[in-house]
Amino acid sequence: MNPRSLFKFRLYVAGDTPNSLQAMSNLGALCQKILPNRHEIEIVDVFREPKRALADGIFMTPTLLRLMPSPMRKVVGTLSQAGSVLQALGLENVAA
Amino acid sequence: MNPAAVAPALEAGDEISTLIERLLASEQRLEELTSGEVDTVSGRDGRTFLLRRAQEQLRHSEAAKQSAILGQLRVLFDLMPAMVWFKDTKNRILRVNQRAADDIGKSVQEMEGKSIAEFYPDDAAKYYADDQEVINSGKSKLNIIETIRNRAGEKIWIQTDKVPLLDKQGKVAGIVVMAQDITERKGADDNVQRLAAIVESSADAIISKTLSGIITSWNSAAEKMFGYTAAEIIGQPMLVLLPPDRADEEAEIQAGFVKGELVRHFETVRLRKGGERFDVSVTISPIKDAAGNIIGASKIVRDITEIKKLEQQFRQAQKMESFGQLAGGVAHDFNNILAVIQMQLDLFKDYARLSPEQVNCINEIGVSTERAVALTRQLLLFSRKETLQLRDLDLNQSINGMTKMLRRILGEDIEVQFRFSMQLMAIHADAGMMDQVLMNLAVNSRDAMSNGGILIIETSSMNFGETASMPPAQGRSGSFVCLSVSDNGCGIPPANLARIFEPFFTTKAVGKGTGLGLATLFGIVQQHKGWVNVESEVGQGTTFRIYFPRLAKMPLAAQKPEHPKLSSLPGGNETILLVEDDDFLRPSLCNTLSRLGYHVIPVSNAVKALEIWQVRHDDIQMLITDLVMPGGMTGKYLGELLLQQKPNLKVIYASGYSAEIVGTDFPSKEGVNFLIKPFHTQKLAQTIRDNFDKPSGEGRI
C-alpha cells in the first residue's frame, strides 16, 4: 500500500446521540494526527438518510466505513480504542 | 384520554406486562450485542431503533443544553440596558428583569406576580392606559416618552416600547414593556433646545458656515435682517450676502481665520435680499470638531444702520455747531464793515452834488449792502445769535411786496399764481425772514420745474381744535395762518423727503445749492413758533404748507423803511461819549454824529471811556457803547457803572449779536436803548433824539 495514498471514510451516525458524537470527534482527531491532508470524511445521519444506511448494510450507529483504499473495511463503536481502531483500518504502519 | 378507550386496555394488563418483559429482554440482548458503544440499531428493512441508554443520554444532554440556554437568556434579560416587564392583560407582572427590579429597589421575586399599581401607585393608571391601547389594538406602541420614579423617588425620563404577546390563536395574552432611561439624553436635548431658543431670539443675525463658505444655519434675526428665509439661503455660498465690490473680503477673512486670527466687531457692508446695502458689524468665531480642528465659522452680524445714522447726525450736529461758532465770530466783524459802508453811503449822498447816474450807482451799492446784511442774518440764524426783529404784520402784504422779485427769480417759463385769503393774515413775525422763507421755497420750486410749470402761492387761515379738525402731526390746536407754496415740478423721492430739512443736504449740483435753504426755513419757522408740512409725489409736484400762530388784531400799517438825506434827520448839540472798538466803524459813526450836530468823544474801549469820564462827566449827556468789546469790560458793565454816578445819563447799546447773548436779565428793546448793527443812519438819529426828548429817567435800565 502506498503510504501517501488518500483515505476516504464514511461515518454513519444517529443525530446527536452521545456515541455518535464521540465517534465523530475521535475520528476527526485520529485523522488530523496520522493522516493530515490525505483524508476525506463523510458523515451520514441514518435518521435523515436511512436508505443509504440500508444500501451500505449498516445495522448499528456509529459505524465507520473505510471506502478507500479498497477493500472496504467496517468499524462499529465510538472509536475510543485507538490501537484496535488503527489495526481495524489498516493504519498501524502509518502510525508507526 | 377518553375513559371508554382506556377500559379495554385495563383488561389487556396481562398482555401488556408480557410485551414489556419481552421488550426489555430484547433491549438487554441488543445491548449485549452492541457492547455499549452503539446508539442505534437498524433492521433489514432500514427501520432504525434508538437504544434505551442512548435515549436517556440524549434526554439528559437536551435538558442540560436547554437549561444552559435559559440561564444565558436570563443573564441577558437581567442585564440588558433596559427595564423589561412581561405583563398579562390585567396589569400583573409575569416576569421582570433585574434591572427593573433594581431600579425600584425590590427583588425580582417580590415583583413577579404582583400588580404594577403596587410599585407605581401614582403613575400606574397612566401606564395601564397605554397597555390597554396595545391590548385592544394588538399593535405595538413605540417611543413613549414618559417619567417614572426611581428608588430614590426621583423622576427620571424613560422611552418606552410596548409590544403585544400573542398566544397560539393569535389573541393578545399579555404585553412586553421595555423602557430605557433617557434622562441624560433628554437633559442634553433640553440644553440644545435652550441654546437654540437663545440663538432664535437673538436680535443679531447668527449664521454658521463651512470652511468653504457654505451657509449651514440661519436664525430668525438673520431672516429679518437679510430678507432670506433659512430654507432659501442654507446651502448657498456666503458670497450672495456680499456687495460685489467687497467680494474679496470673505476670502481675506477666511485666510486670516484659518491661521487663528479672530474677527471682532468688524464694520463692513452687506446686501439685503433686494440688493440694498446696509452697514453691519461682524464678529466671527471658529467652530471646531471634537479633535479641535476648525470645521467652520459662526458669524454674529449686527445691523448698525441706525447707529451709523446717529453717528452721522452727531457729526452733522458737530459740524453745525462749529459752523455756527464760525458764523457768529465772523458776523460781528462783518456787520461792522457793513455798517461802515451804509453810513459812508449816507454821508456821501449828503456831501456831494451827484448826477442821477451817480445816485443810481450809490443806490445799487446800497441794495447790495442790504443783501449782504440779509446774508449775514441768514448765517447768524444757524448760530442762533441772530435777533428776531418781530413786529405785527399782514402776511398778505408781505407776500405782495415780494411779487416783483419773485417773478424775476422764477423767470418767464414759470407762471406764478397768488391766491390771497380775504381774511387778515396777521402774524407776529420778522418781515425779512418771511421774505427769506418765500424766496427759499420759490427757488426750490424753480429748480424742480426746469421745463417750466405753475407755482401757486396761497394764504389761508386754519383753526385746529381738539376735536373738530385735528392739527397735522407736528402741529397743535389754535388759530393759524397757513402759507402754502405748490409746484408741479419733479417732486421729492420719499427717501429724500425725510432729509430735506437737514443742513447741507442738497440734491442740487455742486455750486448750485448750499443745502441751507430749507434748513434756514425750518429754523425760521420754529423761531416763529410755527411748523412745516410737506407733501410730494415724484413726477407730480410738491406742496409746502407753513403754519404760523395767527393774531386776532389788525397790525399797524407796515412802514416801508426810507433812506432820507442826512440833513433832513433829527439832530442836536448834546455831548455823546462813543465807545466802539472797531477802528473803521468808529470814525464813520463819529463823522455821522458830528454831521447831526452832536459833540462826539470817540474812544475805542471801556477803560479809555472811564478815563474820559473822570474829566468830562459833567458834559457828557449820552453814552453810546458797543456791548461786546475786548479789554475785559463789557458795554453793559460800563453803562451800569456810569448810570450809578449820573442817573440822568442816556445810554444806547449797540451790537451785532442777539440781545440773548448778553444775558436774559438785560431788558433791551430794539430801537429804544438797543441798536442792532448794521443800522441805518436814520435809525441811529431817531433813537438818539427819542432818548434825549423823553422825560428824564425813562432811559434808565
Side-chain angles (χ1 to χ4, degrees):
Chain A
M1 192 173 69
N2 183 352
R4 302 305 306 166
S5 62
L6 182 70
F7 280 78
K8 257 181 138 172
F9 299 106
R10 181 179 293 155
L11 178 64
Y12 280 92
V13 298
D16 289 338
T17 49
N19 290 323
S20 295
L21 292 176
Q22 207 176 337
M24 273 192 267
S25 123
N26 284 337
L27 176 65
L30 190 82
C31 289
Q32 279 299 328
K33 192 178 172 194
I34 63 167
L35 297 169
N37 302 321
R38 47 187 289 217
H39 67 272
E40 282 179 17
I41 299 169
E42 183 189 15
I43 306 288
V44 179
D45 188 335
V46 297
F47 290 136
R48 291 170 188 275
E49 298 175 273
K51 282 181 183 165
R52 290 187 64 188
L54 199 57
D56 275 337
I58 304 300
F59 299 105
M60 301 171 220
T61 58
T63 299
L64 175 68
L65 299 182
R66 190 193 80 178
L67 301 174
M68 279 176 69
S70 54
M72 190 179 82
R73 292 196 186 176
K74 194 184 276 187
V75 182
V76 173
T78 59
L79 313 175
S80 304
Q81 304 294 321
S84 43
V85 171
L86 291 177
Q87 199 171 3
L89 294 176
L91 286 168
E92 59 269 50
N93 295 333
V94 178
Chain B
M1 199 184 276
N2 187 344
V6 177
L10 288 174
E11 288 163 18
D14 287 345
E15 195 183 346
I16 289 172
S17 244
T18 311
L19 286 173
I20 289 176
E21 267 172 39
R22 243 192 259 164
L23 194 61
L24 288 174
S26 300
E27 283 188 344
Q28 183 75 44
R29 181 65 193 138
L30 280 171
E31 288 289 346
E32 284 165 17
L33 287 172
T34 57
S35 74
E37 283 199 7
V38 169
D39 300 318
T40 64
V41 288
S42 304
R44 291 194 191 285
D45 56 357
R47 281 189 301 186
T48 302
F49 179 69
L50 188 59
L51 294 175
R52 174 172 302 279
R53 193 175 23 78
Q55 281 179 29
E56 273 163 19
Q57 281 175 343
L58 209 53
R59 207 155 43 224
H60 276 118
S61 76
E62 281 299 317
K65 216 189 284 174
Q66 275 205 342
S67 100
I69 290 170
L70 279 178
Q72 285 161 5
L73 284 177
R74 184 80 216 189
V75 169
L76 199 65
F77 180 62
D78 282 334
L79 296 183
M80 67 189 293
M83 295 173 264
V84 185
W85 298 265
F86 285 88
K87 293 158 77 178
D88 68 7
T89 56
K90 306 281 182 233
N91 212 18
R92 213 158 52 94
I93 302 167
L94 301 175
R95 293 276 177 274
V96 64
N97 73 344
Q98 191 65 46
R99 199 179 182 91
D102 285 350
D103 202 77
I104 198 166
K106 304 276 178 193
S107 72
V108 169
Q109 288 73 22
E110 273 179 291
M111 291 185 80
E112 286 179 350
K114 306 253 174 66
S115 165
I116 280 278
E118 283 189 42
F119 306 103
Y120 303 109
D122 300 339
D123 299 320
K126 190 177 75 192
Y127 301 144
Y128 191 48
D130 282 330
D131 291 2
Q132 280 179 315
E133 208 182 305
V134 174
I135 292 163
N136 292 337
S137 68
K139 284 179 187 155
S140 303
K141 187 168 182 183
L142 307 177
N143 297 325
I144 305 163
I145 307 293
E146 57 193 352
T147 57
I148 196 168
R149 289 197 183 277
N150 66 10
R151 62 193 306 168
E154 298 160 346
K155 269 193 178 176
I156 59 168
W157 284 94
I158 52 172
Q159 180 180 334
T160 310
D161 291 343
K162 297 191 170 182
V163 180
L165 291 169
L166 304 180
D167 63 15
K168 281 178 185 159
Q169 282 79 43
K171 274 176 59 189
V172 179
I175 68 167
V176 55
V177 178
M178 285 168 285
Q180 265 184 300
D181 183 347
I182 55 160
T183 309
E184 242 173 67
R185 204 174 80 205
K186 188 141 196 328
D189 286 354
D190 288 351
N191 229 355
V192 167
Q193 273 176 12
R194 245 194 311 281
L195 286 174
I198 291 169
V199 168
E200 271 310 290
S201 61
S202 162
D204 295 335
I206 301 177
I207 303 166
S208 69
K209 58 159 199 169
T210 63
L211 276 187
S212 55
I214 300 297
I215 295 166
T216 49
S217 72
W218 188 256
N219 72 344
S220 57
E223 291 190 340
K224 277 192 214 111
M225 193 179 296
F226 288 94
Y228 295 98
T229 65
E232 281 178 305
I233 199 76
I234 287 174
Q236 298 285 318
M238 207 73 198
L239 271 178
V240 302
L241 307 177
L242 270 68
D245 56 317
R246 291 185 187 240
D248 298 341
E249 210 173 82
E250 188 69 17
E252 278 169 33
I253 292 173
Q254 183 89 7
F257 182 71
V258 173
K259 279 185 273 174
E261 292 168 17
L262 292 186
V263 179
R264 285 189 201 288
H265 307 301
F266 169 62
E267 291 194 3
T268 179
V269 177
R270 290 291 177 262
L271 288 184
R272 297 194 211 272
K273 191 181 180 185
E276 184 198 340
R277 298 165 70 99
F278 68 111
D279 295 308
V280 295
S281 157
V282 184
T283 296
I284 306 177
S285 1
I287 300 173
K288 292 177 180 172
D289 65 10
N293 303 312
I294 298 175
I295 53 165
S298 78
K299 295 193 166 198
I300 299 176
V301 184
R302 175 165 294 182
D303 187 340
I304 54 167
T305 316
E306 283 304 311
I307 295 169
K308 281 272 170 190
K309 208 181 277 174
L310 279 176
E311 271 178 22
Q312 192 111 30
Q313 280 172 0
F314 180 65
R315 271 200 297 273
Q316 189 69 45
Q318 279 186 321
K319 192 161 74 179
M320 288 314 298
E321 181 65 28
S322 43
F323 177 73
Q325 281 175 353
L326 181 70
V330 168
H332 179 77
D333 294 336
F334 194 63
N335 274 337
N336 282 341
I337 296 165
L338 293 175
V340 174
I341 295 171
Q342 274 183 342
M343 223 159 294
Q344 293 295 343
L345 278 176
D346 289 339
L347 287 171
F348 190 53
K349 275 191 267 183
D350 203 48
Y351 276 135
R353 291 183 159 278
L354 300 170
S355 67
E357 289 81 13
Q358 287 170 324
V359 171
N360 251 348
C361 284
I362 289 170
N363 284 343
E364 282 302 310
I365 296 171
V367 169
S368 291
T369 311
E370 293 284 347
R371 282 176 55 196
V373 171
L375 182 65
T376 315
R377 288 189 69 196
Q378 190 174 335
L379 290 176
L380 278 172
L381 214 64
F382 287 110
S383 59
R384 303 216 173 244
K385 285 170 180 164
E386 168 63 327
T387 318
L388 283 178
Q389 298 180 19
L390 294 172
R391 58 192 177 86
D392 296 347
L393 56 84
D394 179 357
L395 189 62
N396 284 343
Q397 265 189 34
S398 249
I399 299 168
N400 219 8
M402 290 281 290
T403 51
K404 248 168 88 180
M405 199 200 279
L406 283 173
R407 288 215 158 90
R408 203 171 61 225
I409 288 171
L410 292 167
E412 288 173 358
D413 293 338
I414 293 168
E415 182 193 336
V416 195
Q417 294 179 5
F418 294 95
R419 296 177 186 169
F420 294 120
S421 164
M422 294 305 286
Q423 285 174 290
L424 180 70
M425 297 283 102
I427 55 176
H428 192 61
D430 184 310
M433 290 192 187
M434 292 301 104
D435 294 351
Q436 181 88 54
V437 164
L438 198 54
M439 194 78 89
N440 286 352
L441 289 177
V443 166
N444 280 342
S445 289
R446 180 197 62 194
D447 295 344
M449 297 187 288
S450 48
N451 299 318
I454 302 171
L455 180 73
I456 301 167
I457 296 170
E458 193 175 357
T459 58
S460 54
S461 63
M462 295 275 169
N463 280 301
F464 297 119
E466 299 295 338
T467 51
S469 57
M470 288 306 290
Q474 319 94 302
R476 57 186 191 278
S477 53
S479 184
F480 292 90
V481 163
C482 174
L483 165 64
S484 110
V485 178
S486 310
D487 64 58
N488 59 352
C490 59
I492 305 166
N496 290 348
L497 201 56
R499 303 187 56 197
I500 55 172
F501 295 117
E502 284 178 23
F504 303 109
F505 177 78
T506 182
T507 57
K508 296 176 187 177
V510 174
K512 284 208 159 182
T514 55
L516 286 176
L518 287 177
T520 307
L521 179 142
F522 191 76
I524 291 173
V525 172
Q526 280 203 321
Q527 280 186 303
H528 285 80
K529 299 181 172 62
W531 70 89
V532 194
N533 259 4
V534 196
E535 279 169 32
S536 187
E537 206 166 311
V538 174
Q540 300 294 309
T542 306
T543 299
F544 281 85
R545 288 197 183 82
I546 301 169
Y547 298 84
F548 295 112
R550 186 169 173 232
L551 297 178
K553 69 177 172 71
M554 175 73 150
L556 297 167
Q559 286 176 352
K560 193 157 168 62
E562 290 162 27
H563 298 284
K565 283 198 159 190
L566 200 59
S567 49
S568 66
L569 294 175
N573 55 4
E574 288 90 345
T575 304
I576 298 172
L577 176 58
L578 173 69
V579 192
E580 169 58 61
D581 62 303
D582 190 294
D583 290 339
F584 293 94
L585 183 56
R586 195 173 55 249
S588 282
L589 268 172
C590 187
N591 201 346
T592 300
L593 292 173
S594 300
R595 300 274 298 168
L596 288 167
Y598 297 109
H599 300 286
V600 188
I601 311 164
V603 292
S604 62
N605 61 48
V607 178
K608 284 185 180 153
L610 284 175
E611 284 171 14
I612 298 290
W613 180 258
Q614 296 305 320
V615 186
R616 303 192 55 179
H617 54 89
D618 285 341
D619 304 345
I620 296 169
Q621 288 150 297
M622 175 177 277
L623 169 70
I624 299 179
T625 178
D626 211 359
L627 265 178
V628 182
M629 287 184 296
M633 191 187 288
T634 67
K636 183 188 169 201
Y637 182 78
L638 176 67
E640 283 169 356
L641 195 67
L642 300 195
L643 273 171
Q644 275 174 17
Q645 298 179 18
K646 189 171 182 176
N648 64 346
L649 180 76
K650 314 291 181 188
V651 182
I652 296 173
Y653 301 96
S655 177
Y657 292 113
S658 159
E660 288 166 13
I661 64 158
V662 291
T664 49
D665 59 328
F666 185 68
S668 65
K669 196 161 183 208
E670 207 244 325
V672 177
N673 65 352
F674 183 63
L675 288 169
I676 297 167
K677 289 196 271 186
F679 38 77
H680 280 288
T681 308
Q682 185 215 2
K683 187 151 205 169
L684 176 67
Q686 193 62 54
T687 307
I688 292 169
R689 205 58 254 158
D690 287 351
N691 269 276
F692 280 130
D693 293 347
K694 74 187 161 192
S696 183
E698 268 189 34
R700 288 191 57 186
I701 298 172

